Amino acid sequence: MERAETSPSLKARDYKSGLKPVWCPGCGDFSVLQAVTKALAELALAPEDVALVSGIGCSSRLPAYLDVYGFHAVHGRALPVATGLKISRPELTVLAAGGDGDGFSIGGNHFMHACRRNVDMTYIVMDNQVYGMTKGQASPTTDPEWDKSKLTPDGTQISAYYPLVIALASGANFIARASSSDPNGAAKVIVDAIRHPGFSFVHMLSPCVTFRPEQRLWKKSVHPAPVAATKDPAVAARRLMTDDNFYLGTLYEGSRKPYQPELIASVDLPSELEAGFLL
Amino acid sequence: MTLPGMPGGQYTADGLEHNPLGNPSSRAEDHSAQLEKRKRKLEQFEYGDHWASIEGSGETAVITWGSSCGPVREALALMAAEGIPTRLVAIRLLLPIQPERLASALKGVKRVLVVEQSHGAQFHLYLRAHYDLPGEVKSLAIPGPLMIRPDAVYHRLTHWEES
Ligand SMILES: Cc1ncc(C[n+]2csc(CCOP(=O)(O)OP(=O)(O)O)c2C)c(N)n1
Ligand code: SF4
Ligand SMILES: [Mg+2]
């Protein structure tokens, strides 16, 4: 991850592409975009040295709104693409982003193994406890009693998935929660996540104001964690037992060695890359 | 094209429909333009001889594809051992279609057997929809999971009139 921080003059807005987001007015993802650009400016990263890979969903539309190298991949597959990119181009700062459906339903297995593999990158999941893009179905993080989708008129009645618990159990090296209601705090968490070696997971609370309008109140429910991050996974696990899902800040900073296989071949020019596809 | 790390070349490779700049777009014009572009890319790509494996000669040809090529080859070896030359056209490129190439591969052919591992003879119907196959055309379609056996192909070729 040790990348030259070379662009001191760039402001947060310089990392935006200028494309107007399609999100609903009030969607939490606007503030996440804000937080990511603030973090990149704080780290003074050259935009060309940053790559953002996403899956599919409202939240996964993030890459086109940033002026970095972006890849809008297939549903649930942001992490394998980002993993491949990072291990073949370790000098890049690689970010992956997406939603709770993308990352924990269809991409759930990738999430677990990305934590375990511990490649040096940062994964931001914008959790709104719903499939926003497909008009409001329950996701793994949805409360079992939530009955506002026609698909689950009595709620899912299946207990919710706890991303931080899974991340810790699977071996993520950095685990934090942030909220779109506090873009500055979220930016700080993203900075720390990017700086920390290995797989960093940022659980980003980001309301879907259209299908979960009650989430507008999340900004009143969130509160900073009363204790500093721990380096001890056992302590982190105990803290998670009393987590109310609204504690913000960094929970865990591990010291596992990131996975980075030895590079076998590299391509410097696009023409060399294209040549590989010729018959 | 630029690669990550090249200054000023940042873009998003978007899986959604996009405009020529790569920005997501739901406009009908952009969609049509990109469909045409993708079609052009596929059609103008030079596939060379890789579009099919063409082996042997004779007035009977077997057209097949994929995993059925192996047993068909074995069947044609049996035929050759008996002095009955038979052609193999094992198509690798299903789309875009290659009408001139297939016509030249089948020049002088009077009988065509289309061999495929399927229940509905989809490959046969696909070929009939897109190509003018010469002479008498028959289909040997056998569903999985058991592999097509060389003797099934051999039997069909040597008992042509029975099927
Ligand atoms: C393979 C595949 N399956 C299903 C879909 C339909 N689909 C699109 S987005 C989505 C869920 C998105 O939910 P989430 O990741 O939480 O993103 P949000 O829209 O809430 O930000 C689904 C199921 C798809 N695009 N591709
Ligand atoms: S549907 Fe929900 S998640 Fe999607 S843009 Fe609108 S508010 Fe945001
Ligand atoms: Mg969601």
Side-chain angles (χ1 to χ4, degrees):
Chain A
M1 184 232 71
E2 265 9 283
R3 186 69 198 158
E5 299 182 353
T6 49
S7 303
S9 55
L10 292 183
K11 302 262 186 302
R13 64 169 179 277
D14 298 323
Y15 290 90
K16 286 197 181 160
S17 69
L19 211 63
K20 195 169 166 284
V22 293
W23 295 317
C24 308
C27 176
D29 296 348
F30 283 100
S31 302
V32 181
L33 171 62
Q34 203 68 25
V36 172
T37 58
K38 273 180 203 272
L40 296 178
E42 167 72 24
L43 290 164
L45 290 165
E48 67 269 18
D49 293 335
V50 180
L52 171 59
V53 182
S54 69
I56 294 292
C58 298
S59 40
S60 289
R61 299 195 64 139
L62 198 67
Y65 305 141
L66 286 156
D67 186 26
V68 300
Y69 279 92
F71 196 94
H72 191 177
V74 184
H75 197 26
R77 305 298 181 255
L79 287 173
V81 173
T83 300
L85 179 61
K86 180 65 188 184
I87 59 180
S88 58
R89 297 287 307 277
E91 77 281 14
L92 299 173
T93 295
V94 175
L95 312 176
D100 42 308
D102 189 73
F104 307 140
S105 296
I106 190 166
N109 218 345
H110 292 301
F111 177 55
M112 197 168 84
H113 290 287
C115 294
R116 184 171 80 88
R117 198 170 281 122
N118 199 29
V119 169
D120 184 18
M121 59 190 188
T122 295
Y123 184 35
I124 303 168
V125 175
M126 287 156 260
D127 191 355
N128 51 16
Q129 301 175 1
V130 76
Y131 294 178
M133 175 159 270
T134 49
K135 297 187 183 290
Q137 298 78 26
S139 89
T141 52
T142 304
D143 184 279
E145 305 297 329
W146 183 72
D147 58 5
K148 300 289 186 288
S149 163
K150 283 184 195 154
L151 283 187
T152 49
D154 302 315
T156 63
Q157 302 298 333
I158 305 169
S159 53
Y161 174 106
Y162 289 96
L164 275 63
V165 174
I166 305 289
L168 184 69
S170 308
N173 215 30
F174 178 100
I175 301 170
R177 186 184 287 123
S179 166
S180 65
S181 59
D182 173 18
N184 289 331
K188 196 187 159 304
V189 166
I190 295 169
V191 165
D192 291 344
I194 293 175
R195 285 203 170 123
H196 196 84
F199 185 80
S200 297
F201 170 56
V202 179
H203 184 218
M204 182 72 72
L205 301 176
S206 181
C208 172
V209 295
T210 299
F211 297 106
R212 304 295 309 261
E214 70 281 11
Q215 292 176 347
R216 287 180 188 273
L217 294 176
W218 275 2
K219 59 176 176 290
K220 296 207 165 72
S221 311
V222 292
H223 45 90
V227 284
T230 174
K231 296 183 179 355
D232 181 347
V235 173
R238 272 199 298 282
R239 283 184 191 160
L240 282 176
M241 294 301 112
T242 54
D243 177 35
D244 64 356
N245 251 326
F246 288 109
Y247 279 124
L248 302 184
T250 301
L251 167 79
Y252 175 65
E253 294 169 330
S255 52
R256 282 178 60 220
K257 190 168 173 284
Y259 174 72
Q260 177 59 57
E262 225 175 281
L263 285 180
I264 37 176
S266 95
V267 161
D268 296 325
L269 294 171
S271 52
E272 294 172 31
L273 193 66
E274 282 161 12
F277 289 96
L278 294 179
L279 288 170
Chain B
M1 191 179 90
T2 53
L3 297 181
M6 292 183 167
Q10 299 92 290
Y11 65 96
T12 288
D14 213 299
L16 297 181
E17 191 53 285
H18 43 266
N19 66 17
L21 292 175
N23 294 330
S25 165
S26 44
R27 295 169 66 94
E29 310 86 284
D30 286 333
H31 182 47
S32 298
Q34 296 300 317
L35 282 173
E36 279 305 315
K37 192 169 164 183
R38 287 190 280 270
K39 188 166 165 233
R40 226 170 31 240
K41 269 191 203 170
L42 291 174
E43 284 177 352
Q44 292 177 2
F45 188 81
E46 182 42 56
Y47 296 95
D49 292 337
H50 298 277
W51 73 280
S53 294
I54 300 159
E55 296 160 20
S57 58
E59 294 188 342
T60 299
V62 177
I63 308 181
T64 189
W65 77 294
S67 62
S68 310
C69 298
V72 169
R73 262 196 196 98
E74 288 183 36
L76 300 198
L78 289 175
M79 302 280 288
E82 293 185 7
I84 316 167
T86 314
R87 269 184 235 188
L88 168 69
V89 180
I91 295 183
R92 199 174 285 120
L93 183 72
L94 296 178
L95 268 175
I97 55 165
Q98 308 287 314
E100 282 117 58
R101 283 176 162 144
L102 187 63
S104 107
L106 295 176
K107 212 174 202 155
V109 161
K110 299 214 168 75
R111 297 192 303 191
V112 173
L113 180 65
V114 179
V115 177
E116 64 191 290
Q117 181 114 58
S118 87
H119 183 61
Q122 197 183 9
F123 181 57
H124 172 233
L125 296 172
Y126 172 80
L127 292 175
R128 300 295 283 249
H130 289 288
Y131 294 99
D132 289 325
L133 299 177
E136 200 181 352
V137 181
K138 292 192 175 180
S139 155
L140 175 63
I142 302 175
L146 295 180
M147 284 291 292
I148 292 179
R149 293 163 59 108
D151 65 295
V153 181
Y154 173 80
H155 187 269
R156 181 59 64 89
L157 287 169
T158 50
H159 296 75
W160 186 260
E161 299 306 333
E162 290 173 20
S163 56

